[in-house]
Amino acid sequence: MSEHRRKPPQPQGGGRAASRRAVSQRPGRGAGPGHGAPASPPGGPYAEHGAHGGRSDARRAAQRGAAGHGRAGGKGGRGGKGSSRFIDYPRAGKVGWERFVPSWKLVSGTFLGFFAVIFAGAGIGIASVGTPDANKAAKAQNNVFQWADGTQMVATGGTTNRQIIPIDQIPLSMRNAVIAAENESFETDKGVDPMGIARAVVNMATGGSTQGGSTITQQYVKNTYLDSEQTLKRKVTELFIAIKLGVTEEKDVVLAGYLNTAYYGRDAYGIQAAARAYFGKDAKDLNPSESAFLAAMLKGPNLYNPDGGIGPAATPEANEKRARLRWAWVLDREVAVGRMAQSERDKYREFPARVDSEQARGMSGQTGYLVEVAKQYVMKTTGITAEKMALGGYTITTTFEKPRVDALVKAVEDTRKDFLDEKKRPQYDTFVQVGAASVDVKTGAIVALYGGPGWDHKYFANNANTSGVPVGSTWKPYVLAAAMQYGTQNSKGSGISVDSKYNANDLTVINNREGKPLLANDGTPFRQKNESEYPYGYVTLNEAMEKSINVPFAQLVFDVGHSKVREVAKSTGILEESMDKNNNASFALGTSTPSAIRMADSYATFAASGTHREPFSVKKVVKDGKVVPGFEPPKESRAMDDSIADNITKVLRNVVENGTGTKAKKLGRPAAGKTGTTDQNKSAWFVGYTPELSTSVTLFRNDPTSKNKELMSMNHVGGVDSIHGGDIPAAIWTEYMREALKGTPVKDFPEAEDTGVIADAAGAPQPTPSAVPSPSVSASPSPSTSPSVSPSPSGNGKPSCKPRHWNLNCDPTVTGGQNEGADGGTTTGGFPDGGTSTMPSPTTPRPGRPGGSTSWGSIMGASG
């Protein structure tokens, strides 16, 4: 056997441990042949110690040995044979921290390899993708809207399907406008914006919102994927296609593809459809002003189409303002980048006139409003864009019930016919608008609404969903509910009873939470105005609600705190953005502007004993044969204790039975409701409910063609000195509810149990104690000394309706409606709450019913 294959002799008595020690004694740095002898024999006194430290000593010795061999030869003693590893890291020829510093060869090699992989991947990606074809791009389909029973309401969209036209039929003015506004360097760039791509990729990779391509080429690619989710994978695919287009396709082809696939609003995809939809002409006939308008639409038609769009920020007024500014900017931009002469620009100073929407002509009556409300709900629930919705393909089953919608339309039209005569009283009876909504108490489903005369009458604002009409005294129940829930400064933390008394005399001074008088604009104490000058004296809050007297509620809102009233209103479904931000006396009298839909839904919370359900208008959506998730009825939440809600219902039943809403008694079944009228008769409301349905009706007057669409006074409308919520709105409500509930069994409201403590306002007369008080006698004060007769209407004894008008609801023997609580004394500025009331004492709910103030903390966060 050769020498180098001979097995080395094993040391005596050493075994494996001795073998390891032998390894640890290999020659070190520059060691000679005789330098490796151990300091003591293995069996010496340190043998046991050596055994314990052998492994670590061996590793250190091996490292030193390797370093020594590496430095023994080569240039300068540093070269050696080095490492035989393909990647020398950690570096074998270094010690300590230097071993972990990569060499320049390793760094440069790594970068070269990385970029090689990237470029190879990009090359493969670019080679594997195809270029988009405008003729094969996604095309608009119909959206089918159904009634609640599944029968078809309307099929909309698809009529302005994309029509591809060549570049020579797209006017130069349109090409110039789009390039100037969207991508100035379009004719010279390579189709991509590296910085824009980096921002989009980083944003999506970190969970941010998706971002579209910033060049025309990228946007053209993006348009072909509107039917796909905008993910990082999709963005990378779009990038490869854009790069390929930038190096392989003519610019005219890309520009024509973009303009033929872009969405312009009005369900129009492509420049030809857009030219027809907005201007009733072919694209080739567009002038520079019209081209600039359509270029402005590419910024986002939902926010720039003057017709309006989806969402609170997309009103027709706001959209037209944005569109005008963008249109002018596009024209100026063309001049700035040399695509239009200033002399040409000066010819176009008037915003271009547009033709009526073909879509509007196809959806007459209430259909346009119903479809728009349903579309908004679908988009809000799913998060899809207006552009994707316009592509169509959805079957949407709404909550709207055709018989009830028809009944509401008939009630409005019949009442308008009875009261209004635009030919006889054009200065008063023109521009009177009606909005209404009806909600199922048990589910929150919107079963009917009235938005206006119809899109086919060029009335596009939805009066049922408007948010600019003050609700007047229909706001007072929230003030009372807050006082019953939180108490006042006089109730020592307990909720108050509706039998608590407040001063109701006209022009009473209102005090803030510190007990100091509010100050009017002239610095004198502010005095709240009632509609009637009748001297009521101190009345219970129940009576104040019945007669809709302003003064008690103007004081009560300070006693309970404005913030608490807002919390209660929000918990019942009123949107916070629709609430008046001022903490003044007028806040209690209805200066907030919720929509008719929200008011109907909010009052349904009282009808449902304090359980709130968000309003919804769609119950099923199907796309490509698959049910889209997320359209189950919204979950219910507890807004207030059932005893509070039921007591509010009891008070509002009294309004219908004995107060300003007596005309609603004609319904012939248990009903509760509240009338509302605002200052100068600019709006009138009736919001009422039965155990099954909650319905709100608003009446106001404005010119829909005016620039600001400001509310106008309704004094003398219908030949009546002043219109109140108990008049026309109550008439519409009653006729509709009678038909909508036909065949429904009569059901009563839950009995309201007594709740709260009596906490009279300062100055209220105190009851005289009995000589021998009985333990069973309630501590309520003696009856009010004020007369119980109803006040004369506006002090002149004139009946509130004319017999010739009220064939449905008029009762000349009743004077209800004359004191609707119109806001007759508006304050300016905001008065602070001055502190918050304490929570009411926990109460025990009735057996078998939900609620109770003990759970209030967990449900006050319910969003509106």
Side-chain angles (χ1 to χ4, degrees):
M1 183 179 292
S2 62
E3 182 68 21
H4 70 276
R5 295 176 60 86
R6 199 167 45 239
K7 186 175 182 181
Q10 298 295 323
Q12 294 296 324
R16 294 183 179 178
S19 176
R20 288 194 296 271
R21 286 194 295 273
V23 172
S24 70
Q25 294 169 10
R26 287 180 298 177
R29 184 186 314 175
H35 285 75
S40 59
Y46 298 103
E48 185 175 353
H49 174 76
H52 284 88
R55 293 186 180 181
S56 61
D57 290 343
R59 285 194 295 270
R60 287 193 293 270
Q63 292 175 358
R64 286 195 299 271
H69 286 298
R71 297 179 181 181
K75 188 177 180 179
R78 308 284 289 183
K81 295 182 180 179
S83 173
S84 62
R85 293 178 296 171
F86 180 73
I87 299 177
D88 184 20
Y89 191 83
R91 299 173 68 181
K94 302 291 183 180
V95 295
W97 62 268
E98 291 182 333
R99 299 180 63 243
F100 299 97
V101 178
S103 67
W104 68 270
K105 292 181 179 180
L106 179 60
V107 173
S108 59
T110 300
F111 274 100
L112 287 174
F114 174 76
F115 283 111
V117 172
I118 292 295
F119 281 112
I124 295 172
I126 292 172
S128 63
V129 298
T131 56
D133 184 351
N135 291 288
K136 296 180 180 179
K139 296 183 179 181
Q141 307 174 56
N142 282 330
N143 282 321
V144 178
F145 291 83
Q146 298 178 334
W147 295 104
D149 62 2
T151 58
Q152 182 170 313
M153 178 196 305
V154 67
T156 180
T159 55
T160 54
N161 204 351
R162 183 181 296 119
Q163 180 180 346
I164 307 302
I165 59 175
I167 192 69
D168 58 5
Q169 291 186 30
I170 301 175
L172 181 61
S173 65
M174 186 66 198
R175 288 177 266 169
N176 283 335
V178 172
I179 292 174
E182 300 282 324
N183 185 186
E184 178 187 349
S185 64
F186 168 72
E187 293 173 330
T188 58
D189 63 35
K190 299 303 181 183
V192 295
D193 174 12
M195 292 303 295
I197 294 169
R199 287 192 301 270
V201 171
V202 170
N203 199 34
M204 287 185 292
T206 56
S209 61
T210 59
Q211 296 181 5
S214 58
T215 69
I216 285 176
T217 305
Q218 288 173 265
Q219 292 181 64
Y220 169 39
V221 174
K222 177 176 177 290
N223 287 345
T224 66
Y225 293 107
L226 278 174
D227 58 340
S228 300
E229 187 178 355
Q230 292 295 299
T231 61
L232 182 59
K233 177 182 177 182
R234 174 60 63 193
K235 181 57 65 178
V236 172
T237 304
E238 291 174 5
L239 170 62
F240 288 155
I241 297 173
I243 294 173
K244 187 170 185 176
L245 280 178
V247 297
T248 64
E249 199 65 87
E250 295 291 335
K251 290 292 184 179
D252 279 352
V253 174
V254 175
L255 182 58
Y258 172 54
L259 295 176
N260 278 318
T261 57
Y263 180 61
Y264 298 80
R266 286 195 174 183
D267 281 353
Y269 274 89
I271 183 62
Q272 174 65 13
R276 299 299 307 175
Y278 285 100
F279 302 112
K281 61 174 64 173
D282 292 329
K284 63 184 178 63
D285 298 323
L286 294 170
N287 65 38
S289 177
E290 295 164 341
S291 295
F293 172 88
L294 293 179
M297 293 302 99
L298 295 175
K299 181 71 173 177
N302 189 61
L303 293 177
Y304 286 83
N305 178 4
D307 299 341
I310 304 298
T315 63
E317 296 79 12
N319 279 17
E320 176 149 349
K321 182 178 180 180
R322 281 188 287 262
R324 286 176 177 270
L325 292 174
R326 181 73 177 177
W327 164 80
W329 179 86
V330 171
L331 290 172
D332 292 337
R333 179 69 176 164
E334 290 185 70
V335 175
V337 300
R339 291 184 175 273
M340 178 183 286
Q342 184 63 53
S343 58
E344 179 75 3
R345 166 69 179 93
D346 293 337
K347 296 178 183 178
Y348 304 107
R349 296 296 177 185
E350 295 294 327
F351 196 56
R354 302 168 303 283
V355 299
D356 293 339
S357 169
E358 182 177 346
Q359 179 187 28
R361 293 195 296 269
M363 289 193 287
S364 60
Q366 299 306 300
T367 305
Y369 309 121
L370 299 173
V371 165
E372 199 66 17
V373 168
K375 282 173 61 177
Q376 289 189 32
Y377 188 80
V378 171
M379 293 171 66
K380 177 182 176 181
T381 302
T382 61
I384 68 172
T385 63
E387 289 87 346
K388 189 172 181 179
M389 175 62 72
L391 282 172
Y394 294 91
T395 299
I396 300 168
T397 304
T398 71
T399 60
F400 305 125
E401 300 176 11
K402 189 176 188 304
R404 285 175 166 170
V405 171
D406 291 343
L408 187 53
V409 171
K410 185 176 185 299
V412 172
E413 292 178 349
D414 287 351
T415 307
R416 288 185 66 97
K417 184 176 180 180
D418 284 344
F419 289 94
L420 305 180
D421 191 335
E422 296 183 15
K423 293 182 179 179
K424 182 178 180 179
R425 294 180 295 272
Q427 69 275 37
Y428 301 121
D429 289 6
T430 54
F431 306 134
V432 176
Q433 312 293 346
V434 178
S438 187
V439 172
D440 187 299
V441 168
K442 294 181 177 62
T443 64
I446 307 171
V447 298
L449 60 78
Y450 182 89
W455 286 10
D456 51 324
H457 289 230
K458 300 182 181 181
Y459 192 89
F460 298 102
N462 185 352
N463 293 342
N465 205 28
T466 186
S467 58
V469 182
V471 296
S473 293
T474 59
W475 191 260
K476 290 173 181 175
Y478 305 123
V479 183
L480 180 57
M484 296 178 71
Q485 177 66 48
Y486 291 105
T488 65
Q489 297 179 121
N490 300 323
S491 68
K492 299 179 180 179
S494 298
I496 71 171
S497 165
V498 297
D499 292 325
S500 301
K501 290 187 176 182
Y502 271 70
N503 190 347
N505 285 334
D506 189 34
L507 297 176
T508 295
V509 173
I510 304 300
N511 296 325
N512 62 20
R513 289 184 67 84
E514 288 75 36
K516 299 178 180 179
L518 301 180
L519 297 180
N521 292 334
D522 59 2
T524 61
F526 170 74
R527 297 177 179 274
Q528 178 60 54
K529 183 81 176 66
N530 290 329
E531 185 172 5
S532 169
E533 298 177 359
Y534 187 83
Y536 293 98
Y538 281 82
V539 301
T540 64
L541 292 174
N542 183 34
E543 185 179 352
M545 188 76 75
E546 172 193 316
K547 295 182 172 63
S548 200
I549 310 172
N550 288 336
V551 169
F553 293 98
Q555 183 59 61
L556 183 61
V557 74
F558 284 96
D559 291 350
V560 69
H562 292 72
S563 63
K564 298 304 181 185
V565 176
R566 289 189 177 94
E567 287 182 23
V568 168
K570 183 178 178 180
S571 73
T572 67
I574 300 297
L575 299 178
E576 192 170 2
E577 57 265 29
S578 68
M579 299 184 200
D580 187 355
K581 302 301 186 291
N582 292 317
N583 292 338
N584 52 26
S586 296
F587 175 77
L589 309 180
T591 50
S592 297
T593 58
S595 67
I597 292 175
R598 283 287 166 178
M599 288 300 290
D601 175 70
S602 176
Y603 271 47
T605 305
F606 299 135
S609 296
T611 298
H612 173 245
R613 299 171 178 87
E614 274 288 286
F616 68 103
S617 56
V618 174
K619 59 183 183 179
K620 184 179 180 182
V621 176
V622 176
K623 180 75 162 66
D624 298 329
K626 298 179 181 178
V627 176
V628 179
F631 291 95
E632 302 79 14
K635 295 181 179 180
E636 63 184 37
S637 62
R638 171 59 53 178
M640 65 186 69
D641 181 46
D642 53 2
S643 64
I644 293 175
D646 292 343
N647 270 276
I648 293 294
T649 294
K650 182 178 180 180
V651 171
L652 298 185
R653 288 189 70 176
N654 187 48
V655 171
V656 171
E657 292 295 325
N658 306 301
T660 57
T662 52
K663 294 181 177 65
K665 285 197 299 183
K666 297 288 184 179
L667 179 61
R669 63 170 67 211
K674 184 69 187 76
T675 57
T677 307
T678 55
D679 196 19
Q680 300 178 23
N681 262 205
K682 289 187 176 180
S683 64
W685 288 74
F686 186 80
V687 187
Y689 55 89
T690 66
E692 300 83 15
L693 283 182
S694 177
T695 302
S696 65
V697 180
T698 179
L699 190 76
F700 58 96
R701 186 170 177 245
N702 72 354
D703 182 356
T705 63
S706 64
K707 184 176 181 180
N708 297 323
K709 298 180 176 58
E710 294 181 351
L711 297 180
M712 306 159 64
S713 173
M714 290 190 294
N715 288 334
H716 309 297
V717 165
V720 179
D721 290 343
S722 80
I723 293 292
H724 299 88
D727 299 331
I728 296 177
I732 294 172
W733 184 92
T734 307
E735 181 176 345
Y736 161 72
M737 292 288 279
R738 176 185 292 167
E739 185 65 25
L741 294 172
K742 184 178 293 184
T744 303
V746 176
K747 183 179 178 181
D748 205 350
F749 294 105
E751 184 178 353
E753 64 182 17
D754 293 337
T755 185
V757 299
I758 294 177
D760 296 335
Q766 298 301 311
T768 302
S770 304
V772 182
S774 171
S776 62
V777 176
S778 170
S780 59
S782 59
S784 171
T785 56
S786 60
S788 60
V789 295
S790 299
S792 60
S794 304
N796 58 14
K798 184 177 180 179
S800 60
C801 61
K802 297 183 178 181
R804 66 181 181 85
H805 283 309
W806 291 94
N807 56 349
L808 173 65
N809 284 322
C810 186
D811 185 353
T813 64
V814 179
T815 58
Q818 73 275 11
N819 190 42
E820 298 292 282
D823 180 9
T826 305
T827 58
T828 58
F831 297 99
D833 283 358
T836 55
S837 301
T838 57
M839 291 287 289
S841 303
T843 58
T844 302
R846 281 170 289 198
R849 302 189 62 203
S853 4
T854 53
S855 63
W856 181 256
S858 63
I859 53 85
M860 273 309 297
S863 173

